[in-house]
């Protein structure tokens, strides 16, 4: 039994070994056939797929320039650092070095890679400097590579931030002109097939699938020189008066183009990490306020147009108080019996109210509407407010009176500037434009409007506004040597719930130059000056003067006031 079993055991083992060896050989042959014949295409494809990639070729975003082609937003090529998490996960020992060079915390990197561990692409840091890009690539970490992108740069920084706006990290416009004209600016990305090595670097361009189509440029109406000047002066004034905020707008009265638009507070579009939403607003178009005395010229124009008043018609404003129903309208002081011109020059609320009560509410309302109050300016700016002008049907005596001197309606700074531009020309409100436009196009747009004021009334109102900035007027600090200026001050108590604040004001000046042939209109708003002075004449008028003086000179507008003794000498010596 024992021997037999031993014999069988030997033979049995031998045949077992033979079978095993034979099967193993067969398996190997089969595997070879499988790999090289049957599954060849599939495996080859898988191999190629590791390296063959379709990548997007970003499109160059169009430039935003000022009216003379000076760049306000420009895209330059830069590199972004990205990684293939599935590859990078196998090189954990390199992570600390990588995080250090990128300037990010190690656990931030760990979390990022964990979150994207099933993906093959994640940005580690976008739009890096060429220096940083080189340092990262020098680490030679598998799975880390560079991708070409564009970085948006705003050469004027905070000076033009509210108008230009900005595009986000994916080059999509978020605010301002970047948002409005995003489709025009953005272009179409191209695509190409490339082969990449195991570091993710492109080693061969295989084929181009489509060319990137660059975005188109846009030319704004803004004059960068005026924009800088206005920004500097506004910022100085807001700070100097310890005010909360401020805006200034300059329009070309012939075309409705915005030549400058600035606000405080502002922000730097090139560094938005600490951006406060409060700084983001383009207040000149989004924020409304009661315009106060700055609307008096429209009341006077309506009064003149009615035929019931002439510039020298007398109005009794005594004793500086005037009851309308249960309310009392007050003047700063008792101006006595004054004519219509003096109502403007001294800014009498009572004078304006008496004129308004002598004409029909519809006529007053229509005059305001005819210069664009209560409607958007046509600028197309995102978030633009139309202000508020209620229908005259709801006006009682008190509303007719208060509207005449600027309460019970609201406007934006831009709207007020547009209304003054109508006063400066033929009474039609030109639709406002942030894009450069020629005079013929502007004329065509203006032709959609019917002027309500005669040229006689308009020039009479302009003369009254000229008296505001000369001795005896409320706005003498708006004067500019060598030029005739016309404008209006406003000091407005800010409305608060249940009435008007006792010591918070808006300080305003709206005006035009040169009066003999108006070219520019500007409105200056200083919100809550906290210094000794808070009146429009003391706070806003000097800002108007400084900006307008510089603007007229920059635009080579010929002086129209050389006749004043002494001034021509200074001009010959100084200006040009
Ligand atoms: C004023 C108002 C508030 C609203 C009055 C400003 C009214 C009014 C109810 C007192 C400061 C002040 C509807 S005054 O802009 O008359 O520009 O240099 O806020 O009158 O009835 O302590 N402007 N301003 N009025 N309200 N309601 C004058 C005037 C104006 C000046 C100075 C000082 C007001 C001469 C304003 C200026 O023309």
């Amino acid at each position: 039994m024992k021997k037999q079993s031993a014999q069988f055991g030997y033979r049995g083992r031998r045949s077992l070994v033979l079978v095993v060896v034979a099967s193993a050989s067969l398996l190997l042959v089969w595997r070879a056939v499988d790999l090289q014949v049957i599954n060849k295409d599939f495996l080859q494809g898988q191999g190629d797929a590791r390296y063959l990639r379709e990548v997007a070729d970003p499109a160059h975003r169009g430039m935003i320039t000022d009216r003379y082609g000076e760049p306000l937003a420009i895209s330059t090529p830069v590199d972004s650092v990205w990684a293939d998490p599935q590859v990078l996960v196998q090189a954990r020992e390199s992570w600390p070095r990588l995080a250090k060079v990128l300037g990010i915390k190690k656990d931030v990197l760990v979390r990022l890679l964990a979150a994207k561990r099933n993906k093959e692409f994640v940005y580690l840091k976008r739009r890096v400097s060429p220096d940083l890009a080189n340092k990262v690539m020098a680490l030679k970490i598998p799975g880390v590579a560079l991708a070409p992108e564009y970085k948006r740069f705003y050469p004027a920084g905070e000076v033009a931030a509210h108008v230009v706006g900005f595009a986000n990290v994916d080059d999509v416009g978020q605010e301002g002109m970047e948002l409005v004209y995003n489709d025009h600016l953005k272009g179409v990305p191209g695509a190409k097939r490339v082969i990449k090595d195991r570091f993710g670097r492109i080693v061969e361009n295989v084929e181009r699938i489509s060319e990137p189509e660059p975005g188109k440029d846009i030319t704004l109406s803004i004059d960068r020189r005026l924009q800088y000047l206005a920004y500097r002066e506004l910022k100085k004034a807001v700070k100097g008066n310890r005010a909360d905020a401020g805006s200034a707008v300059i329009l070309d009265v012939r075309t409705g183009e915005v030549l400058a638009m600035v606000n405080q507070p502002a922000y730097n579009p090139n560094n938005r990490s600490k951006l406060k939403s409060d700084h983001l607003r383009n207040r000149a178009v989004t924020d409304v306020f009661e315009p106060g005395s700055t609307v008096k010229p429209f009341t006077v124009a309506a009064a003149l147009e009615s035929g019931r008043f002439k510039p020298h018609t007398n109005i009794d404003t005594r004793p500086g108080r005037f009851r309308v129903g249960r309310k009392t309208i007050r003047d700063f002081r008792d101006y006595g019996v004054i004519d219509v011109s003096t109502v403007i020059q001294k800014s009498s609320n009572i004078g304006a109210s008496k004129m308004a009560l002598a004409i029909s509410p519809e006529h007053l309302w229509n005059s305001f509407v005819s210069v664009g109050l209560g409607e958007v300016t046509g600028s197309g700016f995102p978030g633009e407010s139309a202000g508020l002008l209620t229908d005259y049907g709801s006006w009682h005596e008190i509303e007719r009176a208060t509207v005449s001197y600027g309460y019970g309606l609201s406007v934006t700074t831009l709207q007020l500037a547009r209304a003054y531009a109508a006063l400066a020309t033929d009474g039609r409100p030109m639709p406002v434009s942030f894009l450069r436009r020629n005079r013929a196009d502007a004329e065509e747009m203006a032709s959609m409007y019917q002027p309500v004021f005669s040229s006689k009334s308009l020039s009479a109102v302009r003369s009254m506004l000229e008296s505001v900035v000369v001795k005896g007027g409320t706005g003498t600090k708006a004067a500019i040597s060598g030029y005739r200026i016309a404008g209006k001050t406003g000091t407005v108590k800010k409305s608060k719930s249940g009435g008007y604040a006792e010591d918070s004001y808006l300080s305003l000046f709206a005006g035009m130059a040169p009066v003999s042939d108006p070219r520019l209109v500007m409105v200056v708003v200083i919100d809550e000056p906290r210094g000794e002075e808070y009146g429009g004449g003391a706070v806003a008028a000097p800002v108007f003067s400084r900006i307008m003086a510089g603007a007229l000179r920059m635009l080579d507008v010929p002086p129209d006031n050389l006749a004043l003794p002494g001034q021509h000498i200074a001009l010959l010596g100084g200006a040009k």
Side-chain angles (χ1 to χ4, degrees), residues 290 292-294 296 328-332 335 346-349 402 405 407-408 474 488-494 500 502 505 508 534-538:
E290 288 182 298
S293 306
T294 57
K296 284 176 186 159
T328 302
I329 290 163
R330 288 168 207 282
D331 276 340
F332 180 60
Y335 298 115
K346 301 288 183 195
S347 198
S348 166
N349 297 336
T402 56
Y405 64 97
Y407 299 90
T474 59
K488 183 72 193 74
T489 56
T491 310
V492 173
K493 285 185 182 169
K494 285 175 78 171
Y500 289 86
E502 253 332 302
Y505 308 93
L508 308 171
Y534 58 84

Side-chain angles (χ1 to χ4, degrees), residues 243-255:
D244 280 351
S247 298
V249 171
I250 306 177
L251 295 182
D252 181 323
V253 301
R254 298 167 169 176
T255 60

Side-chain angles (χ1 to χ4, degrees), residues 37-286:
V37 183
I38 299 172
N39 262 328
K40 182 176 180 233
D41 288 351
F42 169 75
L43 291 170
Q44 183 78 56
Q46 283 289 301
D48 288 349
R50 284 282 159 266
Y51 303 103
L52 202 58
R53 282 281 185 285
E54 192 176 316
V55 296
D57 226 351
H60 183 257
R61 189 173 172 85
M63 188 161 63
I64 300 177
T65 73
D66 86 340
R67 63 187 300 108
Y68 302 114
E70 294 292 333
L72 295 173
I74 190 165
S75 288
T76 49
V78 286
D79 284 313
S80 284
V81 182
W82 66 276
D84 180 341
Q86 307 197 13
V87 179
L88 188 51
V89 89
Q90 291 160 27
R92 280 181 184 273
E93 73 289 345
S94 67
W95 292 9
R97 277 183 293 148
L98 180 60
K100 192 165 174 238
V101 170
L102 287 173
I104 57 180
K105 288 211 178 70
K106 208 195 131 210
D107 40 313
V108 172
L109 181 64
V110 170
R111 247 178 286 134
L112 187 66
L113 292 172
K116 303 274 181 177
R117 64 176 173 274
N118 296 322
K119 299 277 183 324
E120 293 179 357
F121 184 97
V122 60
Y123 278 121
L124 296 182
K125 193 159 193 172
R126 303 197 53 182
R127 284 120 213 230
V128 299
S129 67
D131 183 48
L132 183 64
N134 288 337
K135 279 189 184 139
V136 171
M137 290 325 282
L139 296 174
K140 290 201 190 315
I141 299 170
V144 176
L146 300 177
E149 285 197 283
Y150 289 101
K151 184 183 169 68
R152 201 79 169 145
F153 177 62
Y154 301 96
E158 60 181 44
V159 169
H162 293 123
V163 172
V164 174
F166 58 86
N168 68 8
V169 71
D170 292 314
D171 248 6
V172 182
Q174 302 294 296
E175 294 280 342
M177 296 295 112
E178 287 272 44
L179 171 59
V180 178
Y181 296 106
N182 188 55
D183 284 345
H184 183 90
L185 291 163
K186 76 178 182 203
V188 185
K192 61 185 177 188
R193 247 189 280 281
V194 297
I195 292 180
K196 292 183 173 179
D197 65 10
R198 72 188 179 93
F199 294 104
R201 282 181 290 228
I202 295 174
V203 289
E204 196 185 324
N205 279 322
V206 176
E207 63 174 324
R208 166 154 303 286
I209 301 162
S210 62
E211 288 285 345
E213 230 176 83
K216 292 186 265 302
D217 297 346
I218 57 171
T219 305
L220 299 187
S221 55
I222 298 293
D223 182 328
R224 208 166 65 152
R225 301 165 305 165
L226 269 58
Q227 183 78 11
Y228 268 96
L229 170 65
Y231 188 81
R232 188 185 71 203
E233 292 301 330
L234 180 74
K235 188 171 184 172
K236 210 161 71 184
V238 166
K239 198 163 176 239
N241 289 288
R242 288 182 283 126
D244 280 351
S247 298
V249 171
I250 306 177
L251 295 182
D252 181 323
V253 301
R254 298 167 169 176
T255 60
E257 291 170 288
V258 180
L259 297 180
M261 176 180 281
V262 295
N263 302 279
Q264 281 290 296
Y267 64 93
N268 179 359
N270 296 308
N271 177 12
R272 303 191 299 273
S273 56
K274 283 173 282 196
L275 196 139
K276 293 198 200 107
S277 67
D278 194 41
H279 292 207
L280 208 67
R281 273 194 343 270
N282 185 358
R283 291 160 195 267
V285 296
T286 62

